[in-house]
Amino acid sequence: MAFVAVMSPSAHGQTIPTTLYDATSGLSNLSVISAIELPTGQILVVTQHGFFFFDGRRFLPAGPRQGLPAAGVGVGAAVTRQGDLILAYADMIYVAYNIAGTRSPDQLHFLPIDRGHPLGHDSHRKIVPWHDGLVVTDRDRLLFIQKDATGERISLLAKTLGMRDDPLTDVSALHADGDTLWIGTSDGRLCAVSGPTLHCRSLPPMAKPRQLEAILQDRDGTVFARTLHELVVVPRGTTAPHVETIPHAERQYENYQHLLTMSWSPRGALVTQADDDQLAIRTDGNWKSVTLDGEQSDSPLTALLFDKQGNLWIGRMGYGLTRATGFGIFETFTRRDGLASDVIWQMAHQPAGPLWIDTDTGISALDTRTNTVVRTIGEAGLHIAIDRRGILWQSGPEGVSLHDTQSTWRRDLAIKRVNQILIGNGDDIWLLSDHGAWLADAGRRDQDPVPVQGLTGSYVRGQIDTTGTLWLLQRQQLVVRHPDGTTTVVMPRWPLATFAPYVIDQQDDHRLWIGGQGGVYRLTHDGDRIDDVTFYDAATVGNAILYSLMVDHKGRVWAGSDRGLNVFDGSRWITITEADGLATNDLDQDSLLEDTDRSLWIGTSRGLSHLLQPEALLANISLQPVITAMELGQNPYHGEPIAFSHAPMRVMFGTLDYRDAPRIRFRYQLEGVDESWVETTEGSVRYPSVPPGTHRFMLVAFDPDRHQQSAVVTATITMAYPWWERWPVLCLAAACVLLAGYMAWRVRVGLLIKQRQKLQTIVERQTREIRAAHQALIEQSRLDSLTGLLNRGAIQSLLQSALAELPAGTPLMAGLIDVDHFKQINDGWGHLIGDEVLAGLGSRLRQAMTKGDAAGRYGGEEFLVVLTGERAAATHMEALCRFLNGLPIPTGVPDLVVTVSAGVAMASANETWQSLIARADKALYRAKAEGRDRVVLAP
């Protein structure tokens, strides 16, 4: 096979995984201009059609409800030192006072600032808080907004500072640092205002256009000013300024220079825009480019915002708002960055050399100092290793190949089906295969490896400890080979009979970790003797099959699968996924490597992920659920007492933990309405009506991957009683009845008996009616208002009673039915269509129920069906699911196909309702995992 060595072109930069928030998240205008984080934690987005608040789940528009115009070109937003929020439109500026004291954005109230100097129309307006006010550009002049005894007043900044004439004109960039206001102009001047005097720095020659569009200052006092192509660096003191060319900043922003901006990353890197969906990042005077993932576009990047948690938010004109997943924590390398393929198998770091990356189509050498590929060997393989003499060993379908990392020398060995190349403690190289083990000498690379006596089995993986002892996974066994050549089977079988070992690593001289199908074992040993066996099952680890395993320098265990990366820190397992910055959740075999700088390289089927800061990723962020808004009918509701109404109540909520937001789930309960906690991934809940009285809406956020749960946040709903249920009315009615009786007694004493009989008849009839109405209310409280089925509490109580009261030997089956891809129905056609789907399925379930059967809505899109007697069989459950799928549901969407999946469990002796539901739930999980639209019977 031919050898190909190539030098990569100039660094294209790494690829940044992103999450896009657009119209599906409520952002009705996708032309984002800028964004800021409010003191309350919400993200405020400025667009060409107004302002939007983001709560981690959806964007809520700011409009007439808050005192703002229904439409208008948004150009900027800022929070003053006094905690007031300023929103700037092209021709008007608004203020909301003391926003930190406002519980939710929908409660903000804005007032127009129209006192003093009139505003012109400026769609490129820039604003910055300074001193006790706000500096704002107004075409070719600078204005100052300052609060006085009667509110905000607008005046010329030059007049406020006592300047002669007005030297503060032609301003294109603003930056405030303490008492100093930095000003950039269209003709390339950089000036500082700290009083009535304007001080302009002498700058070196700059390329045209010289217009300064963004200014920043670092902790040392160095000022950075950006033009279209260049960065002007102005150190504090007498050091001369200099100009740096921004990489890949060419012509894309010629018509969008006013959108150029800069921001500091949490690690002190300067971040700014470059062409072709790229960001230019400057760290310690060195530049690199990174590219947003996805299809490239000609649309400019706009906002650059690092929030308090370190997340990077990027505006994309015409696309919406993007969150760079894992920025500064993860790096991702793909074919776009020069790798031979996106499918990464293994990595090996050459001492004082590059990182060698084994891919589906070849081996790439990555210079980790410059993040560039410096060499490619065009030969596919599955396993690689580098010996102490700099020879790269590679196993593939055709055998084993040796490559000199410093020359074109290579050698092929006819040893096939090698599962691992294991570097020993000296020059010994172990080749573990399906048909035995071979031993090679790295010092004699021209000699063939020799078969190892006594090791003729099939070996999946192995590990060599510091004593030279070789630990081998041989099919279902763990075998140890001592330095003297003797072997011992130390684990002839595993406690979990179905466990299949795939990977092994050692924590120290007495502890081994072994992962595979079913979970992970930790073995504590003393030579041949196993002292302790601890098993972590799939539910605990978070994945059922592990393809890679590594113990890092801190003793943390990293386990990779096709569903993410699991980490054990000694006390708990957490799961890392694409939501954290992984290129994809699908990790490949033996695809974990800890580098000398303690960073972690992770091979996936969509590129190479580099975890730069494991501690930052593993650190918990407090979950911050927020109740964003409440609506009664079409009107906003803020917790105040309101008159009785049958209008629906909608509660919207989210989470300000933006890093973990994609995987965060919620539990909620409305006291007096919900019988128990309800779980959801959505950011809102709708109640068809709220009964009279005072109710607490309680909300909890939890992260299943990190095993975290937040404190409870609450909101109060106070609904007045209707007039006919109030005490004065009831008392008046009672008084009228007594008075009428008294008058009747006085006037017609002779008819007392007849009237008493008539009254008794009326009372009995009314009693029956009241009892019937009371029974109807009881039935209504047990029914789900949307589907007409029993609600969760009622069906759960029925199942519990059936288990306790059915005669012994009577079959009983419970089935959990889940609507397939229900979130996609809600996202694609809207929640009203989703409600119609649930109502239609509820109608069919009611039709299908016979005597002895029961069905209820268990939560969200899940239904619980209880079958007894002869109908308690999987065939009946399958027929029921076919009936649910049999006819289109009349939703108004003809092409909407709805299917369901079900997990069923037959009750055994002494079964509790909790264990029965748990078994049915696990069967439902299997039904989803096996492709949905099916029924799976629990064992």
Side-chain angles (χ1 to χ4, degrees), residues 685-760:
V685 59
R686 180 182 180 273
Y687 293 96
S689 63
V690 176
T694 299
H695 311 276
R696 278 197 314 158
F697 179 82
M698 299 178 291
L699 178 70
V700 170
F702 68 98
D703 184 342
D705 288 344
R706 292 179 175 265
H707 310 288
Q708 284 183 273
Q709 180 166 306
S710 73
V712 178
V713 296
T714 63
T716 301
I717 300 174
T718 303
M719 180 80 69
Y721 284 87
W723 65 268
W724 58 88
E725 292 186 15
R726 297 178 182 175
W727 283 108
V729 176
L730 295 176
C731 292
L732 178 61
C736 291
V737 171
L738 292 175
L739 180 61
Y742 175 75
M743 294 300 296
W745 178 76
R746 294 283 297 172
V747 174
R748 310 251 340 245
V749 175
L751 298 177
L752 178 61
I753 297 176
K754 184 177 180 180
Q755 291 293 341
R756 182 180 299 172
Q757 292 175 344
K758 182 177 180 180
L759 180 60
Q760 183 176 359

Side-chain angles (χ1 to χ4, degrees), residues 72 126 207 218 261 335 350 357 393 399 427 486 538 554 567 602 667 693 725 738 794 826 842 847 851 886 929:
K126 296 187 178 182
D218 66 12
T261 185
R335 291 183 63 189
Q350 181 179 352
I357 304 161
W393 296 68
D427 280 338
T486 60
K554 288 192 173 182
V567 189
I602 306 163
R667 294 188 182 100
E725 292 186 15
L738 292 175
N826 278 340
Q847 297 174 29
K851 184 177 181 181

Side-chain angles (χ1 to χ4, degrees), residues 339-415:
L339 298 186
S341 169
D342 287 343
V343 180
I344 312 298
W345 291 112
Q346 279 189 311
M347 297 78 64
H349 210 158
Q350 181 179 352
L355 177 74
W356 293 86
I357 304 161
D358 189 20
T359 77
D360 244 7
T361 59
I363 305 174
S364 300
L366 179 70
D367 185 342
T368 56
R369 297 168 302 176
T370 61
N371 284 349
T372 57
V373 174
V374 296
R375 181 176 173 181
T376 297
I377 300 175
E379 183 172 338
L382 297 175
H383 310 283
I384 61 170
I386 295 179
D387 64 29
R388 291 168 176 79
R389 298 177 182 269
I391 299 300
L392 176 67
W393 296 68
Q394 175 196 25
S395 69
E398 302 302 321
V400 177
S401 299
L402 281 67
H403 303 275
D404 191 326
T405 57
Q406 303 299 322
S407 68
T408 60
W409 178 90
R410 68 167 291 164
R411 183 167 183 244
D412 295 325
L413 304 174
I415 303 176

